[in-house]
Amino acid sequence: MSTTSSNGADVPESTRLDDLSDPGQYLHAVHVLTDETDRLMDTVKAMDEEAVRAPSLCEGWSRAHLLSHLARNADAVGRLVHWARTGEETPMYASPESRDADIESGAVNTVADLEGDVESSADRLLEGLLTMTPGGTGVTVRLRGDHPMASHDLPLMRAYEVVLHHLDLDTGYTLDRTDGALLDRLLREAVRRLTGRVAPALTLRTEAGTTYEVSGGGPEVGGPAGELVAWASRRSDGSGLTGDLPDLPPWG
């Protein structure tokens, strides 16, 4: 399989996501993000006004707030793409206050306007990400909170945002069709976050036998990779998993 880059060249596409400085892996990340964005849009297009005003899994936010956030996040990541392409330092948000205000103002829009906002902002971002392929990656940009990130990792960061917030919409979406390499990266991210928050020692084991050790490893919790991601990120009660499930700290 190959994908045509912005300069017209065919770049072989990988199935891995462990080093996005590789052009093939970068393109696979964009491909995965595109698929997950399409799945998100399927959910959004099925909502009516009543559904979009219902609570999300994010405390204090309706589904409308969450969709408004996803649209503004796409624009924010797009600013980092601009930074990487041009060298012009462009922060994700002008300020925390402006970020919050933009989310609130978008949340009052109609479901049709929210759908259009999420879709158009996602399309702009995907187009921008492809302009960095295969050149233009490897620049260090800074996320909200001044955290550094290599620009080639931006598609993966956005994929995390889309997948996890799709779960937060609480509409029955599951990770059973999610790319295996993305699930692997999400489980590794879960280990990093949970260990950093001093979660109980445990080992996550997928049905394929891959293990992920939290806080050095301990009693096993097993099941499909997608269900492990949903539980470890506090988006599921883990009812489809095996083992004794400890209480976990917030995802953060």
Side-chain angles (χ1 to χ4, degrees), residues 48 72 79 129 151 157 160 162 177 184 201 247:
D48 57 19
R72 300 290 69 78
R79 294 184 191 103
L129 290 169
S151 61
M157 181 190 77
Y160 290 173
V162 170
R177 291 163 47 202
D184 170 71
D247 292 332

Side-chain angles (χ1 to χ4, degrees), residues 45-193:
K45 290 174 182 179
M47 288 185 185
D48 57 19
E49 287 292 342
E50 181 179 4
V52 84
R53 306 302 160 195
S56 73
L57 296 183
C58 294
E59 186 176 356
W61 273 7
S62 68
R63 289 170 175 158
H65 283 90
L66 198 49
L67 295 178
S68 180
H69 164 63
L70 280 165
R72 300 290 69 78
N73 175 262
D75 288 339
V77 178
R79 294 184 191 103
L80 299 182
V81 171
H82 175 80
W83 180 345
R85 290 180 58 212
T86 67
E88 178 185 358
E89 185 170 337
T90 315
M92 293 184 74
Y93 302 98
S95 68
E97 294 77 16
S98 67
R99 170 187 175 272
D100 294 345
D102 286 346
I103 292 170
E104 288 291 338
S105 64
V108 302
N109 287 339
T110 66
V111 66
D113 286 343
L114 283 163
E115 175 189 325
D117 193 16
V118 174
E119 187 165 42
S120 61
S121 59
D123 286 346
R124 288 192 300 270
L125 175 58
L126 289 166
E127 182 178 354
L129 290 169
L130 283 172
T131 66
M132 295 205 306
T133 310
T137 60
V139 177
T140 297
V141 296
R142 305 195 77 81
L143 309 182
R144 190 164 68 98
D146 206 35
H147 301 295
M149 173 176 281
S151 61
H152 54 247
D153 283 330
L154 291 174
L156 189 63
M157 181 190 77
R158 173 63 179 179
Y160 290 173
E161 195 83 4
V162 170
V163 166
L164 295 177
H165 282 325
H166 198 168
L167 288 171
D168 286 329
L169 287 174
D170 197 23
T171 58
Y173 160 77
T174 66
L175 304 182
D176 59 319
R177 291 163 47 202
T178 300
D179 179 84
L182 177 58
L183 292 176
D184 170 71
R185 288 301 304 260
L186 280 164
L187 285 168
R188 285 194 267 161
E189 178 67 10
V191 167
R192 185 186 72 82
R193 289 182 181 233

